[in-house]
Amino acid sequence: AWSQRLHWQLTPTGLASVQLQLHLPDSVVFKPWTWTLEWLPSGWQIRAQDVHWQLPTHWLAGLGSPWNTLEPEGQLRLQSHHWSFQIAGMSLQTRGQFTITLERFGTRLSSLKPLGDYQLTVMGANHAPTVDLKTLQGPLQMVGHGSWQPGGFRFEGEAWAHEPQDEAVLFNLLGVLGNRVGSRTVLKVG
């Protein structure tokens, strides 16, 4: 079993900047992931170093519901590319891309394994980041779009069985993911 914990270290790097480093102890496979927080005359800027980590999906269970109910199986790939955001007063500006890929995803709630490969992409935008969910392949299809708005994060999407013969096997899982509307499940946050 893979049981390493994520550690972090906060280091002042100047009068107006701090560096946060996330790392796995005694690991040569995963380079530390460095985030820099810097005060600028216009506000705060946070930049993430580009990273490519591959982790077991059971780490998601630590995020709480619905992940602890799903007890995910498979691999989690985390990638960032020129990810940064700037906070100036009440204004937020993001840049870059952040991608989470679930590969060979499975759950104890379904005997159908794996359910597929899924990708969640967070894209920087002038005001607030957007989020897109898509299925790369698999019997469980999911798609959705979300964004941060003044009232908080909002996400809407759908999940369904790719083949009609898989719908009965996925029935319970689809019910946990959201409200059923016919053969589809509505995915909604916010």
Side-chain angles (χ1 to χ4, degrees):
W2 205 83
S3 60
Q4 283 188 307
R5 293 181 182 215
L6 185 66
H7 291 253
W8 58 275
Q9 179 179 349
L10 197 60
T11 308
T13 55
L15 292 175
S17 64
V18 174
Q19 197 172 73
L20 172 66
Q21 198 169 64
L22 304 171
H23 61 93
L24 298 167
D26 306 320
S27 176
V28 293
V29 177
F30 303 103
K31 71 177 185 174
W33 192 11
T34 303
W35 291 65
T36 303
L37 171 64
E38 184 176 13
W39 181 83
L40 304 171
S42 60
W44 292 94
Q45 180 178 35
I46 300 171
R47 290 183 322 273
Q49 174 190 31
D50 289 355
V51 72
H52 184 175
W53 278 5
Q54 189 159 341
L55 307 163
T57 54
H58 73 259
W59 271 36
L60 294 171
L63 298 175
S65 183
W67 298 107
N68 54 358
T69 302
L70 294 172
E71 291 185 19
E73 301 166 359
Q75 288 294 314
L76 172 76
R77 222 171 359 111
L78 179 83
Q79 290 179 280
S80 68
H81 183 70
H82 299 299
W83 181 252
S84 71
F85 53 98
Q86 230 174 332
I87 303 165
M90 296 302 289
S91 167
L92 173 67
Q93 223 179 27
T94 57
R95 290 184 173 81
Q97 181 175 319
F98 189 84
T99 306
I100 299 170
T101 306
L102 295 173
E103 298 172 335
R104 298 177 312 282
F105 177 67
T107 173
R108 69 177 180 91
L109 299 180
S110 174
S111 59
L112 189 58
K113 295 181 185 182
L115 294 170
D117 298 343
Y118 308 92
Q119 190 169 72
L120 187 72
T121 303
V122 182
M123 292 290 294
N126 284 336
H127 299 290
T130 61
V131 176
D132 286 302
L133 170 66
K134 68 178 179 179
T135 301
L136 301 176
Q137 64 85 28
L140 173 65
Q141 297 288 298
M142 292 191 289
V143 65
H145 178 77
S147 63
W148 276 265
Q149 299 173 5
F153 178 69
R154 300 207 190 288
F155 178 88
E156 291 187 11
E158 290 184 322
W160 67 95
H162 187 257
E163 300 292 335
Q165 67 268 19
D166 293 333
E167 192 170 336
V169 178
L170 295 172
F171 186 82
N172 287 339
L173 174 61
L174 288 168
V176 169
L177 293 176
N179 292 326
R180 297 293 304 261
V181 178
S183 63
R184 300 207 170 210
T185 295
V186 176
L187 307 174
K188 191 168 186 176
V189 175

